[in-house]
């Protein structure tokens, strides 16, 4: 059995270690991007309304980032924002950071999250040829969506993304 030093050196040369470092860098970049979007949103809100968004002036940036990440995670998992209300106690105990109601989360953090996703989509589609189309349905009202479709050059996968959706009453 080798020494701990040689085991560490061996591990540092593995592909697994390199992948873990890449994942950590990506996660840190995404957190930084989200923090920047939150700051932009707050600056624009203050310029437009002459005051900070309700509840943000006394909340530290780390807490705001956690709240935005919690909402983003729920939405990416396909869960409603109201799920945060059900998991609130557990999440607060787990992280030691206070959350707020789902309605307040949506009011404060949805706009920066949408902007972040649109920026990500724009960067991904920058040099791609895309098709833009729209569709609607009349089941219990009208849902109108605008989608883009493109072929990923690396994998030749056909990808579709909804970039806007509107709902009208029937």
């Amino acid at each position: 059995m080798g020494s701990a030093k040689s085991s560490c050196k061996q591990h540092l040369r593995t592909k697994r270690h390199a992948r873990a470092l890449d994942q950590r860098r990506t996660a840190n970049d995404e957190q930084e991007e989200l923090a920047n979007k939150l700051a932009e949103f707050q600056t624009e809100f203050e310029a437009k309304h002459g005051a900070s968004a309700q509840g943000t002036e006394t909340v530290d940036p780390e807490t705001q980032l956690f709240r935005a990440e919690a909402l983003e995670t729920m939405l990416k998992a396909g869960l409603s924002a109201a799920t945060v209300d059900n998991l609130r106690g557990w999440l607060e105990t787990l992280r030691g950071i206070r959350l707020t109601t789902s309605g307040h989360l949506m009011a404060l953090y949805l706009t920066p999250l949408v902007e972040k996703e649109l920026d990500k989509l724009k960067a991904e589609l920058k040099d791609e040829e895309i098709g833009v189309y729209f569709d609607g349905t009349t089941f219990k009202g009208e849902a109108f969506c605008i989608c883009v479709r493109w072929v990923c050059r690396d994998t030749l996968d056909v990808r579709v993304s909804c970039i806007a959706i509107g709902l009208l009453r029937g």
Side-chain angles (χ1 to χ4, degrees), residues 18-91:
R19 275 193 313 268
L21 282 177
D22 287 342
Q23 287 175 344
R24 177 166 279 181
R25 284 187 196 110
T26 301
N28 289 342
D29 289 347
E30 287 181 8
Q31 275 190 332
E32 186 176 320
E33 181 184 357
L34 183 54
N36 290 339
K37 288 293 178 190
L38 289 171
E40 283 177 28
F41 173 73
Q42 289 176 359
T43 303
E44 290 172 9
F45 189 92
E46 287 176 14
K48 186 176 180 180
H49 300 287
S52 298
Q54 182 181 0
T56 60
E57 58 275 344
T58 59
V59 180
D60 64 287
E62 180 186 356
T63 301
Q64 290 191 32
L65 185 60
F66 173 65
R67 290 174 176 180
E69 286 177 329
L71 179 63
E72 180 180 34
T73 302
M74 293 297 164
L75 296 177
K76 280 185 175 180
L79 302 170
S80 70
T83 306
V84 173
D85 293 334
N86 297 329
L87 298 174
R88 186 174 172 184
W90 179 70
L91 289 169

Side-chain angles (χ1 to χ4, degrees), residues 113-169:
L113 290 175
V114 168
E115 288 178 7
K116 177 186 165 202
E117 287 300 314
L118 286 176
D119 287 350
K120 197 166 154 184
L121 188 61
K122 286 177 191 174
E124 187 176 350
L125 299 177
K126 181 179 169 190
D127 297 325
E128 298 288 341
E129 292 182 22
I130 63 171
V132 179
Y133 62 97
F134 60 91
D135 198 2
T137 179
T138 57
F139 180 73
K140 294 186 179 179
E142 179 75 14
F144 180 80
C145 67
I146 300 173
C147 300
V148 292
R149 184 185 313 198
W150 73 99
V151 176
C152 181
R153 292 176 194 232
D154 299 335
T155 61
L156 296 179
D157 292 334
V158 175
R159 297 191 181 172
V160 178
S161 184
C162 178
I163 57 171
I165 189 165
L167 302 172
L168 305 171
R169 282 196 180 147

